[in-house]
Amino acid sequence: MLQESAQIIQEPEPQADSAGAMHFSWPQDWRIQIALVVSLLWIVFLAVYIARNVGWGSFMDLPIDEMGAFLEGAFAFLAFLWLVIGLFIQQSVLAENNEELRRNNLHSAKQTQAIAATEMNARQETFFKISEATRRQLGAIAGLLFMSSQGPVGNGSYRTDQIREVWQQFAQGDSEVWSRLFLSMGTPKDIDFADLFYGTEIRRSHSENFVVGFDRLIKLARGCDSDNIIMDSLIFSAHGLLNVRMRELHPTIKFPEIVMTNSQNYLNSLSDSLQQ
């Protein structure tokens, strides 16, 4: 314990002034200052005590065992004093180290959050790039399905020039124009959407390709959407609504329901947070 205390209590290091002379800097810790003053006074007291009661000549002639016993008792007070001072300083150092560790932990936590946010932003940027290409792909599939069912090769509801105009609109960047046409055709009571999507082998192939492409887009969105904002925007887009209808009407596969944000639960949680 004394060795640990001695390691903590740093002795003043000699420093050279402008003239090259060496001098000692006074320690800044007030506890060490008090201990040094008390130690100096105690040594002076011992010197006076020996000079007046024993005599330096008699003291130097004492047997080694008696001198050792005297010095042990004389310096026991100083040993105890510096032990206590060392313990207090050690506690201060430990407290400073704990505070430094706490600050480092906070800094590390902030860095971790920043890294996570950066990673999430990178995922979202990648998703939006892939999403744009996928939405155009889905739009092209929906266009082929529309031509197969409503164009001249289908029931003839749309002429070739009308189909061409819609393709031009698609080429100008409106990737969901074909999906909107499907959604605006009417209600399931008026139109047999099951036959429209899966009535022929070609239509079924187009519809299943559409469902597969949109499902892969949904899976990719889940990896970069912690608040379901991207998911909801996909589901309630024209492609998303058409995908839901295709999934519901598939003749052989029972698709699981796509989970979206529950508006009522969200509003309730928002109301609770505002009340708090």
Side-chain angles (χ1 to χ4, degrees):
M1 183 65 71
L2 288 175
Q3 293 178 352
E4 295 178 356
S5 302
Q7 292 177 355
I8 296 174
I9 303 172
Q10 298 180 353
E11 296 181 356
E13 298 180 356
Q15 299 179 354
D17 56 14
S18 58
M22 302 301 294
H23 63 88
F24 290 91
S25 60
W26 187 253
Q28 300 298 322
D29 195 312
W30 62 271
R31 290 163 295 195
I32 297 179
Q33 295 175 359
I34 293 177
L36 288 174
V37 172
V38 172
S39 298
L40 180 61
L41 294 176
W42 183 255
I43 292 174
V44 172
F45 168 75
L46 290 178
V48 173
Y49 176 82
I50 294 173
R52 295 187 59 181
N53 295 279
V54 180
W56 285 103
S58 301
F59 178 76
M60 299 302 297
D61 294 334
L62 288 175
I64 191 65
D65 55 343
E66 294 182 7
M67 183 181 294
F70 175 82
L71 293 177
E72 181 181 358
F75 286 96
F77 169 74
L78 293 182
F80 179 76
L81 172 65
W82 284 103
L83 174 63
V84 173
I85 295 298
L87 290 176
F88 279 114
I89 294 177
Q90 187 178 40
Q91 289 179 352
S92 300
V93 172
L94 290 176
E96 292 176 358
N97 291 340
N98 291 336
E99 180 63 21
E100 184 66 23
L101 288 175
R102 187 187 67 83
R103 289 195 295 266
N104 290 338
N105 290 336
L106 291 176
H107 183 66
S108 299
K110 292 180 179 179
Q111 283 186 332
T112 302
Q113 293 175 356
I115 293 173
T118 302
E119 181 183 1
M120 181 62 70
N121 290 336
R123 288 184 181 181
Q124 290 176 350
E125 290 180 2
T126 303
F127 168 79
F128 288 131
K129 293 179 181 179
I130 298 175
S131 173
E132 184 62 28
T134 304
R135 290 175 62 190
R136 290 194 61 82
Q137 178 190 15
L138 295 175
I141 295 174
L144 295 176
L145 177 60
F146 193 90
M147 290 176 58
S148 176
S149 61
Q150 306 298 310
V153 297
N155 59 15
S157 299
Y158 277 72
R159 301 187 308 273
T160 302
D161 58 329
Q162 293 175 313
I163 295 292
R164 186 182 301 111
E165 290 179 1
V166 180
W167 276 116
Q168 289 177 352
Q169 187 175 349
F170 173 81
Q172 292 174 358
D174 190 356
S175 60
E176 295 188 340
V177 58
W178 295 109
S179 295
R180 290 199 303 273
L181 286 177
F182 275 115
L183 297 174
S184 61
M185 289 176 61
T187 64
K189 295 181 180 180
D190 303 328
I191 299 175
D192 186 3
F193 282 99
D195 179 71
L196 190 152
F197 295 147
Y198 303 103
T200 66
E201 191 66 28
I202 294 178
R203 295 178 192 174
R204 178 166 182 164
S205 176
H206 291 327
S207 298
E208 290 180 346
N209 287 337
F210 189 94
V211 171
V212 169
F214 195 86
D215 188 70
R216 294 171 65 185
L217 187 62
I218 288 292
K219 290 181 179 179
L220 185 62
R222 288 196 180 100
C224 61
D225 185 18
S226 58
D227 299 325
N228 287 335
I229 296 177
I230 300 177
M231 283 283 295
D232 291 344
S233 66
L234 289 176
I235 295 172
F236 289 102
S237 65
H239 284 339
L241 296 175
L242 181 61
N243 171 73
V244 171
R245 185 168 294 182
M246 288 180 175
R247 290 163 66 98
E248 292 175 347
L249 297 176
H250 197 281
T252 58
I253 301 176
K254 183 65 175 178
F255 289 97
E257 182 180 359
I258 299 178
V259 180
M260 62 190 72
T261 301
N262 189 307
S263 300
Q264 187 62 44
N265 292 340
Y266 180 83
L267 292 176
N268 290 337
S269 62
L270 180 61
S271 177
D272 294 339
S273 63
L274 292 176
Q275 291 177 0
Q276 293 177 358

